[in-house]
Amino acid sequence: MPRLIHSSDSDDEPKIRRTTTPTAATSSSSSIRKPFSRKRSVHAALGGGKVADILLWRNRNLSAGLLAGATIVWFLFDVVEYNLIELLTHISLLAMLSLLVCSWAAQLIDRNPPQIPETIVSEQTFREVAWAFHSRLAHFISTLLYIASGKDLRMFLTVIGCLWIVSIIGSSCSFTSLLYLGFLCIHTLPALYERYQAEVDHLVARGHEDLGKFYSKFDSKVLNKIPRGPTKIKKFN
């Protein structure tokens, strides 16, 4: 409810000011944290280079080409059950025959023979890909070491549950299908999150609150009842 505050100045009539108290809705909305909200954009968080452009579908032709290529490779290995050596030899044969035909055609019409595009063998592209892979790998290893140390028991139990789910999925599908599923997640989830960032942040915040409540109940009813040995107090001379 708004409150009325009377302020009397000299002989003037009292002035009435309205002050509003924060409602429960605004306080609850401000208390909800967005776990994925950051000052940097999603593009900057992914490195801000060509790899980020591909993952966020800024270059639709290249992103769609990679997705189509990965789908064809998965289809050949998992559905058709192609052998790796057989597939590589067939691809090499087709590439050599195609280059031979293009070279003959270029000589007939007086044009330059086909060459490898600069974007494929560019040193800068390889450096960007290697730098992005190295930074993500270093961050993953440091995070894994922190979780394995047991300092955050909630995070440790969450990772154990996720690994158990991944093991169940891996037992029901082949290795190539699991790799293709991981590629689909990496190739599509960042773009979907960039488009529906507010909705995802809201759902994850609610799920984080529910998980925190469940962990507090589990901690009070199970973990606190586990007997622990007496702590030793170090004596300093």
Side-chain angles (χ1 to χ4, degrees):
M1 293 295 291
R3 294 179 298 174
L4 300 179
I5 301 176
H6 298 273
S7 60
S8 58
D9 295 337
S10 66
D11 296 334
D12 297 334
E13 294 181 359
K15 299 178 181 179
I16 300 177
R17 294 180 299 171
R18 285 184 177 269
T19 60
T20 57
T21 57
T23 59
T26 56
S27 62
S28 62
S29 62
S30 62
S31 62
I32 296 178
R33 296 184 299 108
K34 295 182 178 181
F36 294 149
S37 61
R38 51 174 65 91
K39 295 181 179 179
R40 297 189 301 169
S41 62
V42 181
H43 186 270
L46 292 176
K50 293 183 179 180
V51 178
D53 293 337
I54 294 172
L55 293 180
L56 296 177
W57 288 73
R58 302 290 174 85
N59 190 348
R60 294 182 179 272
N61 295 329
L62 184 57
S63 300
L66 288 176
L67 181 60
T71 305
I72 292 173
V73 170
W74 168 79
F75 179 80
L76 291 175
F77 279 106
D78 203 67
V79 179
V80 184
E81 295 182 355
Y82 242 94
N83 190 4
L84 178 60
I85 299 177
E86 184 181 5
L87 179 63
L88 292 177
T89 53
H90 287 175
I91 292 176
S92 301
L93 287 174
L94 289 176
M96 292 180 65
L97 289 176
S98 300
L99 290 175
L100 179 63
V101 173
C102 292
S103 299
W104 284 352
Q107 292 177 3
L108 292 176
I109 59 177
D110 293 333
R111 289 191 178 183
N112 295 326
Q115 297 179 355
I116 302 176
E118 182 65 23
T119 55
I120 298 179
V121 295
S122 176
E123 184 179 357
Q124 182 180 1
T125 304
F126 277 95
R127 285 183 177 180
E128 289 181 358
V129 173
W131 179 83
F133 178 76
H134 176 266
S135 61
R136 298 297 179 273
L137 181 62
H139 179 70
F140 173 76
I141 293 176
S142 61
T143 305
L144 186 63
L145 290 176
Y146 173 76
I147 295 173
S149 63
K151 296 179 181 179
D152 191 349
L153 186 58
R154 181 187 303 178
M155 181 63 68
F156 181 79
L157 295 176
T158 303
V159 172
I160 291 297
C162 293
L163 291 177
W164 180 67
I165 294 174
V166 171
S167 66
I168 294 177
I169 297 175
S171 62
S172 60
C173 63
S174 62
F175 180 69
T176 54
S177 298
L178 190 61
L179 286 180
Y180 180 67
L181 180 61
F183 175 79
L184 284 180
C185 294
I186 295 173
H187 201 61
T188 56
L189 290 182
L192 292 175
Y193 173 70
E194 187 184 32
R195 185 173 182 180
Y196 304 103
Q197 184 173 1
E199 292 82 356
V200 173
D201 286 339
H202 179 72
L203 292 176
V204 172
R206 290 298 177 87
H208 187 269
E209 290 181 357
D210 295 339
L211 184 62
K213 293 178 182 178
F214 173 77
Y215 177 76
S216 61
K217 292 180 180 179
F218 181 76
D219 188 21
S220 60
K221 294 182 179 180
V222 178
L223 297 180
N224 288 335
K225 294 182 180 180
I226 298 177
R228 296 180 175 85
T231 57
K232 297 180 180 181
I233 301 175
K234 295 182 180 180
K235 297 181 179 180
F236 298 95
N237 295 330

